[in-house]
Amino acid sequence: MRTYKVGICDADTDYSTALMDYANSNKEMGISLSAFSSIKAVRDYLSVQDLDLIITDDLTGCESVEEGYEFQQVKVVLLSDNCEGENSIFKYQKADSICKEIRAVLTVNQTNVRNIKSVIAVYSPIGRSGKSRLARALASDDEVRGGLYVSMEDFCDNVELSSNEILYLLKSRSPELEKMIFDQIISENGINKLFLSGTYLDTHDVSFEDIEMLKGYLLKLGRFTTVVFDIGSAAIEDFRILSLFDRIYMPVLRDDVSLRKLEVFVKMLKDMGLRNIITKLISVDVPNVEPGDNAMVQTLWKLKRES
């Protein structure tokens, strides 16, 4: 089970500390709670660390968004003195009930890999980390209607498929796009594949709105329940594109140089105001095996439990 990082900021610091101690002593809850004395302390914390959720009795300084409230792009839920109201948690109930409500808020928008219309990105700033192996394995693992592997690598590994008009039709909003996508999907080694381009020079011209539209077309086909984008480290210029995916699996390596690269990548997202992407990142140690191997099967099983 994934452990979510939650911040609690309440005027009653004894209350905050007691709830924090309870949540952190019950690890099966899947919540790591940190108590803050003020919203400024939360802001200072977010300058160096991340949170998946903030619960607070004071919405001052929070931004009103369509789904409720946010503070520096982190979802906020009100700790309420009464038991009524949307986007709020009644603070004077059992600690166990509060933790369950927090967990429900955190998981309500999570889409299981096997559910209908799951669109996943596999991206890593680290080379040779197993990114494409993981993307292919995820696409081949769908047992409902099957998965689709969408290649947005820096360089395509299939010369015959390295040149097509999909991106041109996408950019021009052509009515021929849907048919072109259907015609370009191939099956290799039991995996359905779609190659968008031969090089990152083409995909760099793709915008947030373009990929949003492409998602709609791929789901409209109705053939696949999992769509997996294999995105090269240089393939996108607008990192907001990553926010379009339900999850972002990030293959990692554990040597010192690779870990420093990951720190730089996360800092860059923070500096760009893209903290909502950071909360979607799921680090993965990808085994050096092909889809179907026991080690890869175990990795996918673990991802499904933790996502």
Side-chain angles (χ1 to χ4, degrees):
M1 177 186 290
R2 177 182 175 184
T3 298
Y4 292 91
K5 298 169 66 175
V6 179
I8 176 172
C9 179
D10 192 275
D12 186 345
T13 55
D14 290 338
Y15 170 87
S16 300
T17 302
L19 184 60
M20 177 183 69
D21 290 342
Y22 177 84
N24 294 346
S25 65
N26 291 270
K27 297 188 182 301
E28 69 277 5
M29 293 282 187
I31 299 170
S32 175
L33 202 61
S34 298
F36 299 93
S37 58
S38 67
I39 201 68
K40 180 183 181 300
V42 178
R43 182 184 293 107
D44 292 342
Y45 180 88
L46 288 174
S47 68
V48 293
Q49 297 291 336
D50 297 301
L51 293 170
D52 295 299
L53 179 70
I54 298 168
I55 56 174
T56 179
D57 64 340
D58 184 6
L59 296 177
T60 303
C62 297
E63 179 184 2
S64 178
V65 296
E66 184 177 352
E67 296 179 353
Y69 293 92
E70 289 185 353
F71 181 74
Q72 295 196 349
Q73 296 188 317
V74 178
K75 183 178 179 63
V76 175
V77 170
L78 175 67
L79 273 174
S80 175
D81 289 336
N82 58 67
C83 56
E84 298 180 355
E86 296 182 5
N87 299 312
S88 66
I89 294 175
F90 178 47
K91 63 189 296 184
Y92 299 119
Q93 58 180 314
K94 292 182 179 179
D96 177 69
S97 299
I98 293 175
C99 290
K100 287 180 179 178
E101 287 196 39
I102 292 172
R103 182 76 194 187
V105 170
L106 288 162
T107 57
V108 67
N109 292 321
Q110 298 294 319
T111 307
N112 189 280
V113 173
R114 296 183 185 277
N115 282 355
I116 302 299
K117 299 183 179 180
S118 178
V119 186
I120 301 165
V122 182
Y123 176 89
S124 179
I126 302 172
R128 315 300 296 178
S129 58
K131 174 178 64 65
S132 294
R133 287 199 307 275
L134 178 63
R136 291 194 298 267
L138 287 164
S140 66
D141 190 54
D142 189 302
E143 297 175 356
V144 183
R145 288 201 302 269
L148 174 66
Y149 167 90
V150 181
S151 175
M152 285 184 67
E153 295 187 88
D154 295 340
F155 292 97
C156 176
D157 64 359
N158 190 321
V159 176
E160 295 180 359
L161 299 172
S162 64
S163 178
N164 61 53
E165 296 183 351
I166 289 179
L167 293 184
Y168 170 76
L169 297 177
L170 180 63
K171 296 293 293 184
S172 62
R173 303 296 190 259
S174 170
E176 299 296 321
L177 177 61
E178 188 172 348
K179 182 179 184 303
M180 173 62 74
I181 291 174
F182 186 88
D183 291 342
Q184 289 292 324
I185 293 175
I186 64 169
S187 180
E188 289 184 344
N189 300 319
I191 303 175
N192 296 300
K193 297 182 178 181
L194 177 67
F195 293 82
L196 296 187
S197 173
T199 75
Y200 70 92
L201 298 175
D202 295 330
T203 57
H204 253 207
D205 194 38
V206 176
S207 69
F208 176 93
E209 291 77 17
D210 295 334
I211 296 299
E212 189 172 35
M213 176 174 284
L214 179 61
K215 272 183 55 180
Y217 274 111
L218 294 177
L219 296 174
K220 185 179 178 182
L221 291 175
R223 291 176 54 185
F224 311 103
T225 47
T226 303
V227 179
V228 184
F229 280 70
D230 179 5
I231 303 176
S233 59
I236 53 175
E237 189 169 24
D238 185 354
F239 278 92
R240 292 184 305 140
I241 288 172
L242 293 176
S243 68
L244 291 170
F245 299 95
D246 300 323
R247 281 175 306 283
I248 308 165
Y249 291 124
M250 183 173 66
V252 298
L253 299 174
R254 300 296 176 177
D255 61 277
D256 290 342
V257 173
S258 297
L259 292 176
R260 288 198 294 272
K261 288 183 178 180
L262 292 175
E263 289 180 5
V264 171
F265 172 63
V266 171
K267 182 179 184 302
M268 180 196 73
L269 292 176
K270 289 180 180 178
D271 293 344
M272 295 172 68
L274 299 176
R275 191 180 294 275
N276 59 326
I277 292 175
I278 298 174
T279 61
K280 291 187 177 185
L281 293 174
I282 301 172
S283 298
V284 187
D285 294 282
V286 183
N288 188 20
V289 296
E290 291 302 311
D293 185 277
N294 285 338
M296 186 64 79
V297 171
Q298 292 176 7
T299 298
L300 298 181
W301 179 82
K302 182 179 179 181
L303 288 179
K304 291 167 188 172
R305 284 176 56 87
E306 295 180 349
S307 297

